[in-house]
Amino acid sequence: MTAEIGLFALVLALFVAAIQSAVPLIGAARGEASWMAVARPAAMALFAMVALAFGALVWVHVTSDFSVVNVVENSHTDKPLLYKITGVWGNHEGSMVLWTFILALYGLAVALFGGNLPPALRARVLSVQGMIAFGFLLFIIETSNPFLRMDPASVNGYGLNPLLQDPGLAFHPPFLYLGYVGFSMAFSFAIAALIEGKVDAAWARWVRPWTLAAWCALTLGIAMGSWWSYYTLGWGGYWAWDPVENASLMPWLAGTALLHSAIVAEKRDSLKAWTIFLAIVTFSLSLLGTFLVRSGVLTSVHAFATDPARGSFILILLGLVTGASLVLFALRAPALQGGGVFAPVSREGALLFNNVFLATAAATVLLGTLYPLFSDALHLDKISVAAPYFNATVPPLIAPLILVMAAGPLLSWKRGDLKGALERLKFAAPVALVTIIAVLLLAGWHDAWTAVWMGLAVWLFAGTFTDWAGRIGLFRTPFADAMHRARKLPRSIYGMSLAHAGLAIALIGIAGSTSWQSEKLLVMHPGQTASIAGYDVRLDGIADNVRGPNYSATRATFVASRGGSIVATLHPERRLYDNPPEPKSTVGIHTNFVSDLYTVLGESDGKGGVAVHLFHNPLVPWIFFGAVLMVLGGAVSLSDRRYRIGAPARKPGIEAPPVLVASVPLVIPWRKLLRAWQYLLPVAVFVVLIGFFVFRLHQAGEGETPNLVPSVMIDKPAPHFDLPPVLAGLPGLRSEDLKGRVTLVNFFASWCAACRIEHPYLSQVSAAGIRLVGVDYKDKPVDARAWLGALGNPYQAVGGDRNGTTGFNFGVYGAPESYLIDKNGVIRFKQIGALTPEIIRNQIIPLAEKLK
């Protein structure tokens, strides 16, 4: 009965969302106060219905109701209670209910705390929120019913992916969604302003706290995801430039630009059209991330679903929301002329500079993420877009931004004094220069870029301190007077300073961990000691068959000492879960808050020893400290008095007529649109992007899913190659080796996070009698040897393709990819992305049997 109550609540919520979408909007157009007043109770009712549905879904998971398909597919009676709860949003259907719940929560917040908003604006904002909620509720009910029953009920469930059975899953997705969905508020305010025809300082003041709250949540969600990757996957890294990681980064970059442009709109009545455009783009990028995760157009280890039907529905939703808003923007933006004129050297100029580089960085990430789709649609040569591309293109766009961030707050509004600002930075400049020189002397010239980034981070930190000290007169007035002024300083200033300082600290962590990580791979026996970065790490013992709540584990005990004193005892494990019966490794980490000692337990060598992977990761903790400080800065800014008392009253003036479906003329003003051609460019770009997505979904509908891409190499002989060996004692790989026996060629790399996900399943290929060989793709042989030593080597031969030529000839998009080749050396199957037990069992093994 609980499931039926939940489904009924979703259906009721759909009707409430329809009322919320239409009635207040019509009321605002007609000036009917009673109709506009419907928005608040409708938003409250919508939240109540969605909360009831979400609560019902949690309940059927907690009580293990195996008559519900969603519970059967994602739970098990042996699963701990925490993971029964978090498993609710560890799947596509449940995560969409969580998404809609958070969307309704934001609408409730506007209804409860938006009393200072003009009634017409509040009605329009809640109406737009209702439209978005209607779309997602319809999507859930039509394609993703989480309350679907099965008859007869199952005795038990299949369990949850072991990688998701982690405390990080309890917090990472909800905060990520709070950020994604939170930007819908900025979007709704933007659409309401376009309809109303008025964007002023009061509007910017209203939109900033909602944007800031979403930005804080998304920042924390991204940081939590990186931390989860760091301590769960056992690869010693925290960011892999995976398509879905990029999908969270893009709205963060655009949202950061939106935050800063809204300041100019509020303070100087400038950049109004640009601010509206950023609000549309930021939420659209959030919707794009949802589409990428759930449509299957791109391969990712984070993907929830690869159903073309669901993808088509989300694409329609994306097209309606973003397309309609961009058309409305093109119609109304020419009238949104900024009133404040400013010089290039001014605080406005610095914030605009900030916006340009943040937007360019977001576009660069978007291009790299979607390039495989473009190349396939246009029949271009295949190219791998992975970490090397992003590492080469994004940092050069961030560096100028950091330079200006330190000086920007020191400039005056309208017209700044650059010379005066640089004179005030006379402390920051030498400190940054000394940092660069010190790093070069200590690390050497081969770390020149690390030295530059360290200098930039110190420049930003020192510049932030200079700005704060100047505001309170720290070195110009008696200390007591300075502290008195510090107490009177607005909280928004403290928030800005904390956020900028947090970014500086995170940059130091990224630069140091990227360049100075050290690692050691070796086989250790109990009692042996290995040294790394000043630590002596002794393997005390290995315990087999250690029982956990729903797994058995092999647990190692390492004792780490430094200078003869014990500093930590570490217990990395290799687990095998009961349901589903899949492996998972857990790492042992000791931190002194400056660096981490990181231990990974590998496979047994069959002679009493085990492979051990040791990492020393300097400054990694600073990345997460910096992220937390950035979130703290945002929270402090949110508590500023200006946001608590609301925005000032709007000045009376002539407003443009509202734009509603009922008032749009039948004849579209083409001449007006053509004169404002620059506002049509976003519409044209979006139409092209939608066209590529439609093409990809059409491929999927024809059975040509991205995981089985129709390559020009299918049914053709494998290209010629002759690769050197990677591992001592094992041969390299030649094209002639692929003949005479059915073979699976697996392209992998040590830098590839998805390769780590699929690695435990590769043994199933060999167990089925299929020859398994590996190609180490665009990787250093020493890193590949360390990686295989830690995780185990399932391959009968491993060749090194360091420059990627062989991968290019095969048509590799990026690691991991696998090719099934028949006895004659002809390619018969191509798998893009990580292999899973289902793919191996349902596709590769049956096809291999036919080919034999």
Side-chain angles (χ1 to χ4, degrees):
M1 187 64 180
T2 303
E4 284 69 30
I5 292 174
L7 181 59
F8 185 63
L10 286 178
V11 175
L12 282 180
L14 180 70
F15 285 100
V16 172
I19 294 172
Q20 182 180 331
S21 303
V23 175
L25 193 61
I26 297 172
R30 296 180 174 180
E32 294 282 349
S34 59
W35 286 41
M36 288 188 286
V38 171
R40 297 183 74 180
M44 297 176 188
L46 178 64
F47 173 78
M49 292 296 100
V50 177
L52 177 61
F54 183 68
L57 186 59
V58 172
W59 181 255
V60 296
H61 272 263
V62 169
T63 58
S64 297
D65 184 350
F66 294 122
S67 66
V68 178
V69 174
N70 187 264
V71 180
V72 173
E73 293 179 345
N74 299 282
S75 191
H76 192 276
T77 52
D78 293 339
K79 195 168 65 170
L81 177 62
L82 173 64
Y83 303 137
K84 288 183 178 180
I85 297 174
T86 60
V88 171
W89 51 81
N91 59 87
H92 165 72
E93 294 81 4
S95 66
M96 291 311 305
V97 177
L98 176 63
W99 173 287
T100 310
F101 171 76
I102 294 174
L103 182 67
L105 179 64
Y106 275 106
L108 176 69
V110 174
L112 294 179
F113 306 114
N116 62 329
L117 294 172
L121 179 64
R122 183 177 63 233
R124 292 184 175 111
V125 168
L126 288 176
S127 180
V128 176
Q129 285 289 108
M131 294 177 190
I132 300 170
F134 181 87
F136 277 99
L137 286 166
L138 187 62
F139 171 66
I140 293 172
I141 294 171
E142 287 294 320
T143 70
S144 310
N145 180 9
F147 299 107
L148 189 65
R149 291 283 192 180
M150 64 184 305
D151 186 23
S154 176
V155 177
N156 216 322
Y158 304 149
L160 184 67
N161 186 332
L163 289 174
L164 302 181
Q165 296 189 39
D166 186 272
L169 184 67
F171 305 104
H172 164 56
F175 276 103
L176 209 60
Y177 289 177
L178 280 168
Y180 279 157
V181 182
F183 286 126
S184 70
M185 291 307 309
F187 173 83
S188 297
F189 271 96
I191 299 304
L194 289 174
I195 294 173
E196 191 175 79
K198 188 174 183 66
V199 179
D200 54 13
W203 176 88
R205 178 78 64 83
W206 284 318
V207 80
R208 279 182 64 193
W210 298 104
T211 305
L212 186 56
W215 181 87
C216 289
L218 185 57
T219 303
L220 189 58
I222 292 173
M224 286 180 171
S226 296
W227 172 242
W228 173 85
S229 176
Y230 179 65
Y231 76 79
T232 299
L233 298 184
W235 62 307
Y238 45 82
W239 190 264
W241 294 107
D242 179 86
V244 178
E245 289 177 334
N246 298 344
S248 67
L249 180 62
M250 289 184 289
W252 185 88
L253 291 169
T256 305
L258 173 61
L259 269 179
H260 292 82
S261 68
I263 297 173
V264 181
E266 177 188 351
K267 298 288 187 181
R268 296 287 302 142
D269 197 33
S270 294
L271 302 183
K272 294 188 293 188
W274 174 247
T275 302
I276 292 285
F277 177 69
L278 280 178
I280 294 172
V281 167
T282 301
F283 182 57
S284 297
L285 288 173
S286 298
L287 290 178
L288 178 64
T290 304
F291 173 71
L292 294 178
V293 176
R294 299 164 202 281
S295 64
V297 299
L298 288 176
T299 301
S300 168
V301 297
H302 303 278
F304 274 111
T306 57
D307 183 359
R310 290 171 174 171
S312 299
F313 199 110
I314 299 177
L315 185 61
I316 293 172
L317 184 61
L318 176 64
L320 289 174
V321 171
T322 304
S325 60
L326 288 176
V327 170
L328 181 60
F329 174 77
L331 288 168
R332 306 293 277 175
L336 300 176
Q337 300 300 324
V341 179
F342 55 88
V345 179
S346 62
R347 190 173 299 185
E348 298 99 315
L351 290 170
L352 180 58
F353 186 92
N354 158 300
N355 271 230
V356 169
F357 278 84
L358 283 171
T360 305
T364 301
V365 175
L366 177 65
L367 177 63
T369 303
L370 299 182
Y371 185 84
L373 182 150
F374 297 150
S375 65
D376 186 55
L378 299 175
H379 303 288
L380 302 176
D381 290 336
K382 307 300 182 184
I383 186 172
S384 173
V385 180
Y389 162 82
F390 296 104
N391 292 335
T393 56
V394 175
L397 294 171
I398 301 301
L401 186 65
I402 303 302
L403 278 173
V404 175
M405 279 180 67
L410 302 176
L411 297 172
S412 301
W413 293 105
K414 192 173 182 179
R415 185 179 298 277
D417 179 9
L418 181 59
K419 182 178 178 181
L422 294 177
E423 287 178 354
R424 292 176 63 186
L425 290 169
K426 59 185 178 183
F427 165 72
V431 171
L433 184 61
V434 168
T435 300
I436 293 174
I437 295 173
V439 172
L440 287 174
L441 292 175
L442 293 173
W445 284 99
H446 62 280
D447 280 332
W449 282 115
T450 305
V452 170
W453 277 104
M454 288 288 186
L456 283 172
V458 171
W459 161 263
L460 174 58
F461 190 91
T464 301
F465 176 78
T466 299
D467 174 57
W468 176 79
R471 291 176 186 272
I472 67 173
L474 182 59
F475 301 113
R476 295 182 284 105
T477 61
F479 184 76
D481 292 345
M483 291 300 99
H484 176 73
R485 295 175 68 176
R487 288 191 293 271
K488 298 295 184 180
L489 206 62
R491 294 184 187 178
S492 60
I493 300 299
Y494 278 105
M496 177 193 70
S497 300
L498 287 172
H500 287 191
L503 178 60
I505 292 172
L507 286 174
I508 292 174
I510 293 171
S513 62
T514 301
S515 300
W516 299 332
Q517 182 189 67
S518 57
E519 60 180 304
K520 182 175 287 188
L521 174 71
L522 66 165
V523 175
M524 296 182 68
H525 292 76
Q528 286 187 335
T529 299
S531 298
I532 184 171
Y535 287 97
D536 293 320
V537 183
R538 185 181 72 246
L539 174 60
D540 266 12
I542 302 172
D544 294 321
N545 298 318
V546 177
R547 282 299 304 176
N550 59 337
Y551 63 84
S552 61
T554 299
R555 177 184 297 168
T557 299
F558 291 93
V559 176
S561 58
R562 197 180 187 105
S565 301
I566 295 176
V567 295
T569 302
L570 307 173
H571 298 286
E573 296 180 350
R574 292 180 62 86
R575 297 177 179 176
L576 180 63
Y577 281 76
D578 300 330
N579 288 285
E582 296 178 6
K584 174 186 173 181
S585 294
T586 63
V587 303
I589 302 177
H590 164 68
T591 184
N592 57 12
F593 304 108
V594 176
S595 62
D596 288 345
L597 177 63
Y598 188 103
T599 59
V600 184
L601 180 65
E603 292 187 343
S604 171
D605 67 349
K607 303 176 182 178
V610 290
V612 176
H613 206 171
L614 303 177
F615 291 89
H616 180 254
N617 296 326
L619 298 175
V620 165
W622 288 35
I623 299 173
F624 305 108
F625 295 156
V628 170
L629 194 59
M630 291 166 67
V631 174
L632 178 61
V636 171
S637 291
L638 271 175
S639 68
D640 190 275
R641 180 175 178 270
R642 294 181 304 160
Y643 299 140
R644 298 198 305 274
I645 65 175
R650 278 182 159 173
K651 297 178 182 179
I654 300 175
E655 297 188 9
V659 177
L660 281 172
V661 174
S663 63
V664 172
L666 294 177
V667 179
I668 298 175
W670 294 110
R671 291 182 180 179
K672 180 180 177 181
L673 286 176
L674 290 175
R675 285 196 301 269
W677 61 269
Q678 65 269 30
Y679 297 108
L680 287 172
L681 282 178
V683 180
V685 172
F686 180 71
V687 169
V688 172
L689 186 62
I690 289 293
F692 280 113
F693 288 144
V694 170
F695 172 79
R696 175 62 89 186
L697 288 175
H698 172 72
Q699 283 186 316
E702 296 295 322
E704 300 172 355
T705 66
N707 286 339
L708 185 55
V709 174
S711 168
V712 295
M713 297 301 296
I714 296 295
D715 295 329
K716 293 185 179 180
H720 176 77
F721 61 90
D722 188 354
L723 300 176
V726 171
L727 297 176
L730 279 182
L733 192 62
R734 301 179 304 162
S735 51
E736 290 78 6
D737 299 334
L738 304 181
K739 297 180 179 180
R741 186 176 174 185
V742 176
T743 304
L744 186 74
V745 180
N746 177 248
F747 285 80
F748 72 95
S750 65
W751 45 260
C752 165
C755 300
R756 185 174 292 269
I757 302 295
E758 78 167 3
H759 194 82
Y761 311 128
L762 295 178
S763 58
Q764 299 178 17
V765 176
S766 300
I770 304 169
R771 185 170 185 257
L772 177 66
V773 297
V775 176
D776 184 34
Y777 179 65
K778 291 187 176 181
D779 200 9
K780 297 178 182 178
V782 63
D783 293 339
R785 286 191 289 270
W787 194 80
L788 290 171
L791 300 182
N793 175 31
Y795 305 110
Q796 298 177 32
V798 183
D801 183 24
R802 185 163 186 178
N803 61 10
T805 301
T806 299
F808 180 85
N809 292 335
F810 266 85
V812 170
Y813 278 86
E817 283 195 16
S818 300
Y819 295 79
L820 188 66
I821 299 173
D822 67 16
K823 294 183 291 185
N824 298 316
V826 176
I827 299 174
R828 299 298 188 183
F829 176 92
K830 177 180 180 180
Q831 165 70 21
I832 291 182
L835 292 169
T836 65
E838 292 75 22
I839 293 173
I840 295 172
R841 180 174 60 251
N842 299 329
Q843 297 183 52
I844 293 179
I845 293 178
L847 180 56
E849 290 298 325
K850 292 181 180 178
L851 296 176
K852 289 179 182 179

